[in-house]
Amino acid sequence: MIETIVQITSIIFIMIGALLSCVSAIGLIRLPDVYTRAHAAGKSSTLGVMFMMFGVFLFFLARDHHFEPTLILAILFIFTTGPIGSHLIMRSAYYSGTKYTNSTIRDDLKEQK
């Protein structure tokens, strides 16, 4: 009984992660400039991958009764490197002179140059 509940929970986590990854892919296609695209890739895809990996962790814990610490370490690694990578992409795009869209109204980094 408890195995079934945990497996259903793991499937829900995997489906939420797939949905977030799909939203991230749509954001990469639809958003207008590199800054908003990197934001979509850095936030929602990181969260989507984390949800999927946690769902896989729960699935194997329920099915095989096997605790896999490398999945927990991978979740922590993705949690730290995904947003940092997208931030560095946006920062390097800014310093290389990549233009904003016409709808951008504020530049917070202009005073720091």
Side-chain angles (χ1 to χ4, degrees):
M1 177 69 178
I2 194 76
E3 289 180 12
T4 307
I5 294 171
V6 173
Q7 285 181 354
I8 290 171
T9 305
S10 69
I11 290 171
I12 290 171
F13 272 110
I14 292 170
M15 295 301 284
I16 291 172
L19 179 69
L20 286 170
S21 296
C22 183
V23 166
S24 176
I26 292 169
L28 286 174
I29 294 169
R30 302 264 319 186
L31 292 173
D33 62 352
V34 69
Y35 304 105
T36 54
R37 287 178 185 163
H39 183 75
K43 302 291 181 183
S44 61
S45 65
T46 300
L47 193 60
V49 169
M50 286 173 36
F51 268 100
M52 283 192 268
M53 291 179 88
F54 187 68
V56 169
F57 173 76
L58 285 178
F59 179 78
F60 285 116
L61 188 65
R63 191 185 74 170
D64 297 337
H65 302 292
H66 179 69
F67 178 76
E68 189 62 43
T70 56
L71 280 172
I72 300 296
L73 290 174
I75 290 169
L76 291 174
F77 181 75
I78 294 292
F79 180 70
T80 56
T81 59
I84 291 171
S86 68
H87 174 76
L88 290 176
I89 288 171
M90 286 186 279
R91 184 63 72 121
S92 64
Y94 180 79
Y95 287 129
S96 68
T98 304
K99 300 291 182 200
Y100 293 114
T101 61
N102 294 335
S103 62
T104 303
I105 56 174
R106 193 171 88 182
D107 184 6
D108 288 337
L109 292 177
K110 195 170 195 170
E111 297 91 29
Q112 294 181 5
K113 269 190 163 180

